[in-house]
Amino acid sequence: MYRYFQRTLLLFSMLSMLFGLASTAAADSEIDRLLRSPINKDWVTNGGNLTNQRYSTLTQINTTNVKQLKGAWMTRLKGSGLGGKYSFEASPLVKDGIMYVITGNDDVFALDAKTGAILWEHWSGIDQTISTVCCGWVNRGLAMGDGLLFFGQFDANVVALDMKTGKEVWRTAIEKWQNGYGITSAPLYYDGMIYTGITGGEFGVRGRLTALDAKTGEIKWRWYTLPGPGEIGSETWPSGTDHSMRGGATIWNTPALDPELGLVYFAVGNCGPDYDGSMREGDNLFCTSIVALKAKTGEYVWHFQQVHHDIWDYDAASPVVLFDTVINGQPRKGIAEAGRTGWVYILDRTNGKPLIGIEERPVPQDPRQKTAKTQPYPIGDATVPQCADSLPGYENAGCIFTPFWETPTLIQPSGIGGTNWSPMPYSPETGYFYVPGTVRTSAFTRYGDKYVVGKRYVGGSQAAPIGTSMTGTFTAIDSRTNKIAWQHKTPYRIGGGGGSTVTAGGLVFRGEPDGNLLALDAKTGEELWRFQTGFGADAPAVVYEVDGEQFVAIATGGNQLQGSAYGDAVWVFSLKGQLGPLWPPPPPQTVAGPVGPIAAGVDAIKIGDLNVEYSYAPARIRIKAGTTVTFSNVGDLPHDATAMEQGAWGTGMLAKGESKVVTFSKPGIHYYICTPHPWMYGQIIVE
Ligand SMILES: [Cu+2]
């Protein structure tokens, strides 16, 4: 449908009129018009427009000239969000030649989009002691409308700034961070309303979508992703219990909205406790689902659950994408989402029914976990392997939907994907979805957890076994068949980073955690250009135009889940650019386990030292049998050191400033991880 918009101006304006009539109280008619239109000069919302397609109609930079692309400017954001606890995942927004970007510290900067000069800055002053952080300090972006910029904060507040000055206009607390809540997703603005998700799926929270009045910040409605007694979906939780009240089901990404149908769509994350399903028999709606609500009132319309009774942390975390297609000669309104399962779920957005086909198939059972009898299998191709290889030292290895209990069980995909938070762009020219994937094995274990307000409530763990490879895929999936059109194996995990964007110039721009920004031919996947930005290039790029010149922009500040090099830079490219590449930063790990030199005779290990929050320093030590080792947490977040060999030893949770000693008497090689952050590894060699 957007191709017709592009080509038939008359039809376009007629449709705009129709849309205009449908929404009576358009609060910012210009932004609303841009949100409903194909993406052109401005990039006014996280996903580019209401569809989340990230498809720019600009063609000045294209397959014939992209080789000439160079840096037009690069601006460092004064150290905001710079450091090992942060990730930089935001899409910069651009309107009338001004760029707005938010960092992992919730600080907002306005820049001249042509020169990179900083016009104003807003420092959040956010509480650095927030301890309810599951996966790094991050903010996925801004929304704009009514002359304001909107964003969610780590402390679960939604804030509005004056676009001209950066001064705060209003602030609304959705919840308290002390109870486990936070906001990392970019909100959506449309028709005078702000739609925001909430995080906390690892802290026993009750997920919801909240709609606020854009002018005042007043909460208009909230729709809980976990049903109360008697509500739709309550039959999928054990009756007479309140497990659904702390069942997670949080929202990690920006909704999409269809103004013609009047529906707002979003993807819902994992169930809580993540790895323990023993007390929550049933399908557990609306965990790991796509949901459609009436955009004005929040009334439920339909849902589709991707994983029933999730025990693998298989969030639907990537943003939903709206697209129009023709199937069997019939025009159809589609919606798609790339899951952590490695599949793309393609549905009819009028009713939530599969567009291509999704089969319910029987799956292996474990009565202790109260596993669902069947799971949805989309017809088509998965973008990542869905079975784990067996490994020495592990009794069990299985495929997707293999249940597990207290013996570690190797499963692929791991609970971080497939596709994690990274967006999946769609090109109406090629008809392809561009799907970033993570290929990694996890050893899943259930151990049970007691629920305490504001504390981690995950009921188990998943860590990549020492020495296993961690790579990725980048796949073009044909929206008409859900089959692979082309696929690249990538050296790094990119399901939670390496964001991408597609253009009418026939290009896909995608970042790499090793600092490279790549341009690929959208039809064939052929790599046409790459540029070393000097920092982890994990955010999704955006495309815009100022004074007739087309630019490509990407926030490069690394991503702590990817282990990519951190930074505080925004890079912008154009055909007239003059800047060359920087030195490559240290690349992320491609094999799980501790890294660095082995320090001999060291008996003190600092956690989160030197602004590298998720680390042990030194990560590898050699000691004599009988040595007592002191573990001190000097980071901002609670951490521990726990033997990978279950129950062998552990420090217990250490708050900021706390220490604990452990004596190692048995010679051998001891590996350990941090329980809440199982991608932190350490090694102690006892002689
Ligand atoms: Cu930790």
Side-chain angles (χ1 to χ4, degrees), residues 292-304:
L293 307 178
K294 287 191 179 160
K296 290 263 188 226
T297 60
E299 195 186 322
Y300 167 87
V301 178
W302 61 254
H303 77 275
F304 179 88

Side-chain angles (χ1 to χ4, degrees), residues 134 607-608 613-616 633 637-641 653-654 673-680:
C134 86
I607 309 178
E613 182 70 35
Y614 300 91
S615 70
Y616 301 103
N633 183 3
L637 296 172
H639 297 282
D640 67 19
M653 201 60 76
L654 301 174
I673 55 171
C674 177
T675 316
H677 315 117
W679 58 95
M680 292 169 60

Side-chain angles (χ1 to χ4, degrees), residues 155-278:
D155 58 8
N157 281 265
V158 177
V159 177
L161 306 182
D162 185 311
M163 273 175 83
K164 288 207 176 72
T165 63
K167 296 268 184 305
E168 185 173 318
V169 176
W170 57 255
R171 157 182 305 252
T172 299
I174 305 295
E175 270 288 352
K176 284 199 180 89
W177 71 259
Q178 290 85 347
N179 294 340
Y181 292 89
I183 301 174
T184 56
S185 56
L188 179 71
Y189 171 92
Y190 184 67
D191 193 17
M193 289 258 253
I194 297 296
Y195 301 91
T196 181
I198 201 146
T199 61
E202 277 63 47
F203 292 87
V205 305
R206 189 181 184 199
R208 75 204 67 168
L209 188 78
T210 306
L212 300 93
D213 183 295
K215 283 206 173 75
T216 64
E218 182 202 346
I219 294 176
K220 304 296 275 186
W221 53 259
R222 44 174 90 77
W223 188 82
Y224 289 101
T225 53
L226 294 165
E231 291 177 354
I232 298 168
S234 57
E235 70 285 359
T236 66
W237 291 86
S239 62
T241 75
D242 61 354
H243 291 301
S244 75
M245 293 300 99
R246 48 182 180 263
T250 50
I251 300 171
W252 297 97
N253 239 308
T254 310
L257 193 147
D258 183 327
E260 243 177 312
L261 294 171
L263 301 181
V264 63
Y265 306 91
F266 53 96
V268 182
N270 64 275
C271 264
D274 305 35
Y275 312 105
D276 185 3
S278 62

Side-chain angles (χ1 to χ4, degrees), residues 302-631:
W302 61 254
H303 77 275
F304 179 88
Q305 192 174 44
Q306 298 176 357
V307 179
H308 307 314
H309 189 78
D310 175 30
I311 54 169
W312 302 272
D313 198 17
Y314 283 155
D315 291 70
S318 180
V320 295
V321 178
L322 310 187
F323 68 107
D324 295 311
T325 190
V326 175
I327 292 182
N328 299 328
Q330 296 295 310
R332 303 291 295 269
K333 293 174 189 292
I335 180 170
E337 203 266 345
R340 285 199 189 176
T341 56
W343 280 304
V344 178
Y345 297 83
I346 303 176
L347 310 174
D348 179 329
R349 72 173 178 271
T350 66
N351 58 22
K353 299 276 184 284
L355 211 49
I356 290 169
I358 300 178
E359 293 171 349
E360 286 288 336
R361 293 192 198 159
V363 289
Q365 296 294 302
D366 187 326
R368 294 169 296 189
Q369 279 280 28
K370 308 286 191 301
T371 40
K373 297 275 174 291
T374 63
Q375 293 287 0
Y377 281 69
I379 293 168
D381 296 328
T383 62
V384 297
Q386 290 176 314
C387 286
D389 293 331
S390 40
L391 281 173
Y394 289 89
E395 280 174 43
N396 309 321
C399 298
I400 188 166
F401 304 134
T402 297
F404 56 90
W405 193 242
E406 284 163 2
T407 309
T409 300
L410 303 174
I411 299 170
Q412 265 196 43
S414 78
I416 55 169
T419 308
N420 193 353
W421 66 268
S422 291
M424 172 183 78
Y426 169 79
S427 163
E429 297 288 335
T430 60
Y432 297 160
F433 299 116
Y434 299 92
V435 190
T438 288
V439 180
R440 202 198 83 159
T441 299
S442 273
F444 284 87
T445 317
R446 179 266 180 203
Y447 53 64
D449 249 342
K450 232 176 98 191
Y451 172 72
V452 180
V453 179
K455 297 283 182 232
R456 275 179 71 84
Y457 182 58
V458 296
S461 74
Q462 53 150 327
I466 305 286
T468 53
S469 75
M470 305 188 294
T471 63
T473 54
F474 190 71
T475 310
I477 286 278
D478 192 319
S479 63
R480 293 148 294 211
T481 59
N482 207 5
K483 292 205 163 119
I484 294 174
W486 51 260
Q487 180 172 63
H488 294 173
K489 305 262 190 274
T490 63
Y492 310 105
R493 297 161 283 162
I494 57 169
S500 53
T501 287
V502 62
T503 77
L507 297 169
V508 176
F509 288 96
R510 99 176 165 72
E512 277 275 17
D514 68 359
N516 281 297
L517 177 64
L518 276 54
L520 311 178
D521 185 311
K523 275 205 188 73
T524 65
E526 186 193 348
E527 184 180 316
L528 301 175
W529 173 83
R530 69 165 54 205
F531 186 99
Q532 176 53 256
T533 65
F535 311 97
D538 290 298
V542 306
V543 180
Y544 64 94
E545 183 185 309
V546 184
D547 295 339
E549 188 177 3
Q550 183 184 342
F551 296 93
V552 177
I554 182 169
T556 54
N559 183 294
Q560 68 72 30
L561 266 183
Q562 303 268 59
S564 52
Y566 51 81
D568 62 348
V570 177
W571 266 100
V572 172
F573 302 88
S574 82
L575 293 172
K576 290 192 209 157
Q578 300 289 324
L579 302 178
L582 294 182
W583 289 95
Q589 276 183 255
T590 55
V591 173
V595 286
I598 297 169
V602 171
D603 62 1
I605 295 172
K606 286 183 174 165
I607 309 178
D609 197 19
L610 302 172
N611 201 17
V612 186
E613 182 70 35
Y614 300 91
S615 70
Y616 301 103
R620 305 170 74 196
I621 62 170
R622 187 193 307 277
I623 54 171
K624 295 260 178 291
T627 305
T628 296
V629 176
T630 306
F631 293 86

